[in-house]
Every structure is written in structure tokens, then in C-alpha cells.
């Protein structure tokens, strides 16, 4: 085997050179892709059906195989409320349910500055989905009911406070053992609870839990990986060709001698 490899070593070297050159050519011709990921939650809790949202995203943005490139761009521009030029920069949008972490959404773009706009458009798109809207509606109804009960309680507390102050001023109520501060604290606590509910209502829907910074370096093409694959594949192909050529040569000699 060694003698065979040594005899046709230049062929193996030629294959390796061509393979590495092809790898460099691919890297040079490939458009850089920038990738950024983020995790999402619904209503600031883990109420999100990650598989459902993942299917929505992957179906709408990854499986439109019957569309041509122009139709794909127009479709994404419409769904994400982007311009055609912005949608044209989308390389891929993928969703994956990571156990114990949540729903991870990865956006790949040819231009990193567009990633923020794509993020925003995707969140708005998810919040417009019937599945998400139904959960938001249920949660909002519950919060508004809690707010109504707290508002009624607050009104009664204020009326009680005003009544007691009025009765004290008239001398009709014995103030011994009465602590007005506790009533004021109860009123303030109720107001804070109502304000908290208002804030929660305002932020209902799919929200970004955490996200990576906008990348400054492309994630693709992976230069070292491509060159390594080019080198190894061309090396093995060259060795295979050498042994194949030697096998043919040997068979020809045998046929000639016979």
C-alpha cells in the first residue's frame, strides 16, 4: 500500500490542492450570514405551548418550499410587516423547544442591522396568532376581573376613611384604639396592586425573555470547518482514486500477460 501511495503521491497532492481551492472558492463566493437567538415567554410566565409556537414559525418561515425566492420574500415582508429590502436579508427563521429553557428562536440574516427589525416583526406576528390571542384574552379577562374587585375594595376603603374622619371631627367616634395609618397603608397597598395589574395588562402577549446581542461577526460560512472538510474529503478521494487507478493498471497487465 505504501509503495502504491508513494508511486502516485502527486495525484493525491493534486486532489488535495483542488479540494482546498474549491473550499476557498466556496468561502469567497458564499454570502456571510449573521445569526442571533432569543427566548420568548407568554404573559411573562411559562404558559406558552412551545411546540405550538415552534410549529407556527417553522411552518410559515421554513417550509414554503413551493414558493420561488421572490414569493418567499414577499410573504415574509407581509407577515413581519417589513419592506421588501428588509425581508430580502432574511436567510432563515427557526424555532426550537429547548427542554428546561423554553422556546428558542434563531434569526439568520445577511445584514446584521436588520435583525432587530425582524425580531420586532416576528413578536408582533406571534401576538396576532389566534392561539396566542386566545391565551391573551383569557389572561386579560382574569386581570380585569381582579382589577374590578380591587377597585371596589379601594372605593369602600376610601369611603370608610372619609366617614371615620367626618365622625371624628364631629366627636361622634371614640378614636382610642383607632390607627388611621393602618387604613392609609391598606389604601396605598390596594392602589399599588391595581397599578401592577394595569402594567401586566399592558405587557400581555409573547415577549422576549432574553436575547443575544447583535452579532458583529458572521456565523456562516464556517471557514475552518469548510476547509477541514475540503481537505479530508479531497484526501480520501485522492487515495481512493490512486488505488482504483492501480487496480485498473494491475488488471490490464494481467490481461496482457495472459
Amino acid at each position: 500500500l505504501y509503495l502504491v501511495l508513494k508511486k502516485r503521491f502527486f495525484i493525491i497532492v493534486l486532489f488535495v490542492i483542488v479540494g482546498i481551492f474549491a473550499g476557498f472558492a466556496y468561502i469567497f463566493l458564499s454570502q456571510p450570514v449573521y445569526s442571533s437567538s432569543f427566548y420568548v415567554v407568554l404573559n411573562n410566565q411559562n404558559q406558552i405551548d412551545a411546540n405550538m409556537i415552534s410549529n407556527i414559525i417553522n411552518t410559515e418561515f421554513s417550509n414554503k418550499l413551493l414558493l420561488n425566492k421572490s414569493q418567499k420574500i414577499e410573504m415574509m415582508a407581509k407577515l413581519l410587516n417589513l419592506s421588501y429590502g428588509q425581508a430580502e436579508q432574511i436567510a432563515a427563521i427557526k424555532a426550537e423547544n429547548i427542554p428546561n429553557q423554553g422556546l428558542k428562536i434563531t434569526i439568520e440574516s445577511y445584514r446584521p442591522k436588520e435583525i432587530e427589525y425582524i425580531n420586532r416583526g416576528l413578536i408582533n406576528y406571534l401576538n396576532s396568532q389566534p392561539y396566542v390571542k386566545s391565551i391573551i384574552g383569557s389572561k386579560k379577562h382574569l386581570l380585569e376581573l381582579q382589577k374590578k374587585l380591587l377597585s371596589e375594595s379601594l372605593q369602600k376603603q376610601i369611603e370608610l376613611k372619609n366617614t371615620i374622619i367626618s365622625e371624628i371631627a364631629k366627636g361622634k367616634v371614640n378614636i382610642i384604639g383607632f390607627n388611621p395609618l393602618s387604613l392609609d397603608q391598606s389604601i396605598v397597598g390596594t392602589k399599588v396592586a391595581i397599578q401592577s395589574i394595569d402594567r401586566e395588562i399592558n405587557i400581555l402577549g409573547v415577549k422576549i425573555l432574553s436575547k443575544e446581542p447583535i452579532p458583529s461577526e458572521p456565523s456562516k460560512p464556517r471557514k475552518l470547518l469548510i476547509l477541514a472538510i475540503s481537505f479530508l474529503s479531497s484526501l480520501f478521494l485522492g487515495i481512493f482514486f490512486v488505488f482504483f487507478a492501480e487496480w485498473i493498471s494491475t488488471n490490464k497487465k494481467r490481461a496482457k500477460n495472459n
Side-chain angles (χ1 to χ4, degrees), residues 37-238:
S37 300
F38 59 94
Y39 289 87
V40 299
V41 293
L42 182 55
N43 297 339
N44 288 335
Q45 299 176 20
N46 293 324
Q47 297 180 7
I48 188 170
D49 186 336
N51 291 325
M52 175 72 76
I53 298 296
S54 177
N55 289 337
I56 291 173
I57 294 173
N58 292 328
T59 299
E60 290 294 342
F61 300 102
S62 300
N63 298 330
K64 297 292 184 179
L65 301 179
L66 299 180
L67 300 178
N68 59 40
K69 183 177 180 180
S70 178
Q71 289 174 325
K72 271 184 163 183
I73 295 172
E74 289 177 357
M75 179 270 295
M76 287 190 288
K78 182 178 179 180
L79 293 179
L80 301 179
N81 195 26
L82 301 172
S83 67
Y84 186 91
Q86 289 175 318
E88 195 174 20
Q89 301 305 316
I90 299 174
I93 298 177
K94 298 174 286 187
E96 180 183 7
N97 185 16
I98 307 296
N100 302 321
Q101 295 186 44
L103 180 64
K104 179 183 180 182
I105 299 176
T106 301
I107 293 177
E108 295 180 353
S109 174
Y110 300 117
R111 200 160 56 194
K113 69 177 184 179
E114 304 296 348
I115 291 178
E116 188 63 36
Y117 298 104
I118 299 169
N119 279 351
R120 197 179 309 153
L122 184 59
I123 293 300
N124 291 336
Y125 166 76
L126 291 177
N127 282 321
S128 69
Q129 294 303 297
Y131 162 71
V132 177
K133 289 176 74 174
S134 67
I135 295 180
I136 294 174
S138 299
K139 182 67 174 180
K140 186 176 181 180
H141 176 73
L142 179 62
L143 290 173
E144 287 177 341
L145 181 61
Q146 292 176 354
K147 180 181 176 181
K148 181 180 178 182
L149 294 175
L150 286 172
S151 297
E152 292 174 353
S153 175
L154 176 63
Q155 185 63 32
K156 291 179 180 178
Q157 291 176 53
I158 293 174
E159 290 176 356
L160 176 61
K161 177 183 175 181
N162 293 334
T163 300
I164 292 174
I165 291 174
S166 175
E167 294 298 311
I168 291 174
K170 296 176 181 178
K172 295 182 179 180
V173 176
N174 186 356
I175 62 173
I176 297 175
F178 172 69
N179 184 5
L181 183 60
S182 62
L183 184 56
D184 286 333
Q185 288 175 339
S186 177
I187 291 173
V188 170
T190 305
K191 288 181 178 179
V192 169
I194 292 174
Q195 292 172 354
S196 177
I197 290 176
D198 285 335
R199 286 194 297 269
E200 193 170 351
I201 289 175
N202 291 333
I203 60 173
L204 284 177
V206 176
K207 301 293 178 184
I208 296 177
L209 179 64
S210 63
K211 65 178 180 178
E212 299 173 354
I214 301 300
S216 57
E217 296 293 331
S219 58
K220 296 178 182 179
R222 299 177 182 176
K223 299 178 182 179
L224 292 179
L225 179 62
I226 290 171
L227 291 177
I229 292 175
S230 299
F231 172 77
L232 292 175
S233 58
S234 60
L235 176 63
F236 286 119
L237 187 61

Side-chain angles (χ1 to χ4, degrees), residues 18-32:
V18 171
I20 293 177
F21 178 79
F24 273 111
Y26 177 81
I27 292 171
F28 179 77
L29 295 175
S30 296
Q31 192 171 2

Side-chain angles (χ1 to χ4, degrees), residues 246-257:
E246 184 67 20
W247 177 77
I248 292 177
S249 177
T250 302
N251 285 340
K252 282 184 177 180
K253 289 179 181 178
R254 287 177 181 174
K256 191 175 182 180
N257 292 333

